[in-house]
């Protein structure tokens, strides 16, 4: 019987498997780690690369067919992480890319204002302090509230409100999430999320530069270069995959919100009158794309941003949709962001045109019209996508001797196949090795002779390897191997020379 845990229990199991099997490690672990930074191990980096490569193929090498039946034109770039700091002034990140945050004077902890919730006493309740907790984690302060409740249910005495809906006059009565005293929270302050560095040997404020907080600006900075050197015409897209850095106030939920992460972004440049049409197209295409890499449609939703949550670049235009995923930590029926699709209008190109004094308008030859294109931007997190694939894949099947397995989509699986000799003698290792040498040139394949066959299957199940091929007595007698399906554990016989085609079909569909 399957008994997949849920919520925080699932996250605990998943994080432990990911560490044990080499998917994700805390960065600088031997020095105690560094909050908000993660390293991807042998299996994790394979998984991440497979997701990245599939995105690149479907967005750049073989982009979709557009709504009117014509193949779309998208080119890729790879821009610098550090750009001229004036670019970040123009983009609005120096002035606007900040989160309001509150500090706790007692513990020195810092919280993002919009991530803190408060149990506030209801009118007439015989209770005084309010208790703050991190969104989605009310249980973390249960012990602290026990004395105040004296056995009564929390809902009876308290209502839950967002800290951002309270005023600073309420703060003296609030017990911060990680302390027992009240009144330790400071008034909210803006905190810019960009990491700073200096360029060159002399340092100093005049050499200040920023690590990019999004890959998108590198695309806008190269818009003219691409137009001048490629034969693209509006509408067209420029795509980029790469690192982004944000000094997040509260990095949390494993690799969901980290300080160094990777993005897969595409800026689609189109005529302003066609922006609505393309917005609709990209929202639908991107939602279906996540399903095509193995994400269950029941765990995905589309959510339109309310006007007060739109990013500075999306204030005008058709708005922003988020593709959200049901993360184990989102609580019950909750969802969290996986990808945003924003109508950035002509905000970025206009800003860069004004700040750089470089003409960035487009001349459309057939209509003799000159305009600054509007932009539709599907922007997803690569590392956040890895988390989604991990959450989707994790499963427990109690009928197996080692119940944990990762049910990755075959194209995403870090390892596609394993070849085993049933025993390490009687000519089986030689035949198995020959098969392995054949398969490894087509797909990532592992050869394993150590321990019992059951343990070897279990190791591959945990790594999410869809197929294992075992060379046994029958192979020597009649030339067929045992092919074992990770998902069902079912075995079938496949003739030795048909194994490469069999595996191709299973992986490529
Ligand atoms: N260029 C637009 C842009 O950067 P965003 O919504 O801030 O928009 C796009 O980021 C995606 O990048 C998000 O949907 C998320 O998947 C990912 N992302 C953003 N911040 C992240 C973080 N701190 N850690 C991991 N992924 C993050």
């Amino acid at each position: 019987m399957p008994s997949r845990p849920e919520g925080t229990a699932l996250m605990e199991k998943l994080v432990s498997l990911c560490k044990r099997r080499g998917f994700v490690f805390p960065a600088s672990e031997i020095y105690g780690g560094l909050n908000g930074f993660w390293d991807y191990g042998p299996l994790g980096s394979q998984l991440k690369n497979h997701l990245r490569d599939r995105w690149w193929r479907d967005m750049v090498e073989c982009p979709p067919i557009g709504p009117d039946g014509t193949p779309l034109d998208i080119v890729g770039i790879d821009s610098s992480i550090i750009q001229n700091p004036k670019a970040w002034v123009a983009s609005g990140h120096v002035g606007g890319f900040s989160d309001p945050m509150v500090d706790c004077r007692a513990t020195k902890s810092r919280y993002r204002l919009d991530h803190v919730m408060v149990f506030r006493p209801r009118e007439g309740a015989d209770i005084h302090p309010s208790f703050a907790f991190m969104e989605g984690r009310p249980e973390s302060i249960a012990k602290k509230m026990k004395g105040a409740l004296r056995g009564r249910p929390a809902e009876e005495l308290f209502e839950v409100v967002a800290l951002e809906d309270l005023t600073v006059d309420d703060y003296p009565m609030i017990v911060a999430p990680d302390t027992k005293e009240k009144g330790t929270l400071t008034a909210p302050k803006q905190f810019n999320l960009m990491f700073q560095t200096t360029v060159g040997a002399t340092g100093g404020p005049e050499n200040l530069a920023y690590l990019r907080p999004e890959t998108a600006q590198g695309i806008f900075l190269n818009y003219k270069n691409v137009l001048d050197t490629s034969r693209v015409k509006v509408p067209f897209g420029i795509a980029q995959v790469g690192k982004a850095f944000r000094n997040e106030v509260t990095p949390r939920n494993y690799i969901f919100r980290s300080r160094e992460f990777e993005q897969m972004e595409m800026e689609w440049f189109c005529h302003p009158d066609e922006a609505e049409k393309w917005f609709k197209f990209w929202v639908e295409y991107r939602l279906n794309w996540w399903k095509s890499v193995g994400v269950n449609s029941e765990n995905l939703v589309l959510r339109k941003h309310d006007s007060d949550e739109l990013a500075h670049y999306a204030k005008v235009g058709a708005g922003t949709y988020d593709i959200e995923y049901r993360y184990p930590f989102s609580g019950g029926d909750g969802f969290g962001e996986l990808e945003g699709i924003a109508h950035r209008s002509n905000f970025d190109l206009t800003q860069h045109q004004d700040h750089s004094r470089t003409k960035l308008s487009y001349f459309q030859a057939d209509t003799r019209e000159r305009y600054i294109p509007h932009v539709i931007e599907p922007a997803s997190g690569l590392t956040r996508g890895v988390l989604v694939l991990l959450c989707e894949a994790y499963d427990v099947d109690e009928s197996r001797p080692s119940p944990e397995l990762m049910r990755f989509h075959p194209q995403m699986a870090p390892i596609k196949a394993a070849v085993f000799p049933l025993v390490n003698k009687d000519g089986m290792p030689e035949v198995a090795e020959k098969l392995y040498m054949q398969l490894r040139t087509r797909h990532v394949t592992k050869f394993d002779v150590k321990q019992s066959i059951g343990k070897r299957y279990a190791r591959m199940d945990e790594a999410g390897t869809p197929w294992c091929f075992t060379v046994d007595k029958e192979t020597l007698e009649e030339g067929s191997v045992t092919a074992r399906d990770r998902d069902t554990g079912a075995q079938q016989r496949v003739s030795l020379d048909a194994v490469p085609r069999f595996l191709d079909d299973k992986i490529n569909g």
Side-chain angles (χ1 to χ4, degrees), residues 202-223:
T202 49
E206 66 285 7
N207 297 314
L208 184 72
Y210 302 97
L211 304 193
R212 69 180 176 202
E214 60 171 14
T215 58
Q217 293 306 320
I219 295 179
F220 296 120
L221 298 178
N222 282 288
Y223 157 80

Side-chain angles (χ1 to χ4, degrees), residues 337-470:
E337 181 183 345
L338 165 61
E339 169 163 348
I341 298 117
H343 178 197
R344 291 182 82 123
S345 70
N346 58 9
F347 175 85
D348 304 271
L349 289 181
T350 307
Q351 287 290 108
H352 288 304
Q353 174 170 275
D354 294 350
H355 284 246
S356 67
R357 293 163 200 267
T358 306
K359 207 169 182 182
L360 295 178
S361 59
Y362 177 78
F363 179 70
Q364 189 162 326
D366 56 348
T367 57
R368 309 208 57 74
E369 204 183 344
R370 186 169 280 287
Y371 57 90
I372 297 193
H374 274 212
V375 167
I376 306 300
E377 175 198 62
S380 53
L382 170 57
T383 43
R384 199 172 281 186
V386 168
L387 176 59
V388 167
L389 297 189
L390 290 169
C391 293
E392 280 291 295
Y394 182 84
D395 204 0
V396 176
D397 178 354
E398 296 293 356
S399 69
R400 301 182 190 208
S402 297
E404 286 181 302
L405 73 154
M406 299 297 277
R407 298 186 191 272
F408 294 118
H409 183 290
Q411 285 172 10
M412 297 295 111
I415 304 168
K416 309 298 185 204
V419 179
F420 310 140
L422 181 61
V423 289
N424 201 11
K425 57 183 183 183
D426 301 337
M428 291 182 207
E430 291 76 7
V431 179
E433 200 170 342
K434 202 166 155 211
L435 177 61
Y436 162 67
M437 294 302 279
Q438 235 184 321
L439 295 185
R440 74 193 285 279
T441 58
R442 308 159 85 103
H443 299 286
V444 183
T445 307
K446 295 289 165 194
F447 181 71
D448 192 357
V449 295
K450 295 222 177 78
Q451 296 184 300
S452 71
I453 193 73
K455 289 219 166 96
R456 282 180 269 170
Y457 284 146
R459 268 203 293 276
M460 283 300 146
D461 285 350
E462 279 187 341
T465 306
W467 288 93
C468 293
F469 301 99
T470 302

Side-chain angles (χ1 to χ4, degrees), residues 67-101:
D68 62 358
T70 39
L72 304 187
D73 215 357
I74 303 181
V75 295
I77 62 159
D78 186 4
S79 72
S80 280
I81 283 171
I82 295 178
Q83 300 281 355
N84 188 313
K86 289 179 192 160
W88 301 110
V89 175
S91 70
H93 286 85
V94 169
F97 193 58
S98 54
D99 279 336
M101 47 95 197

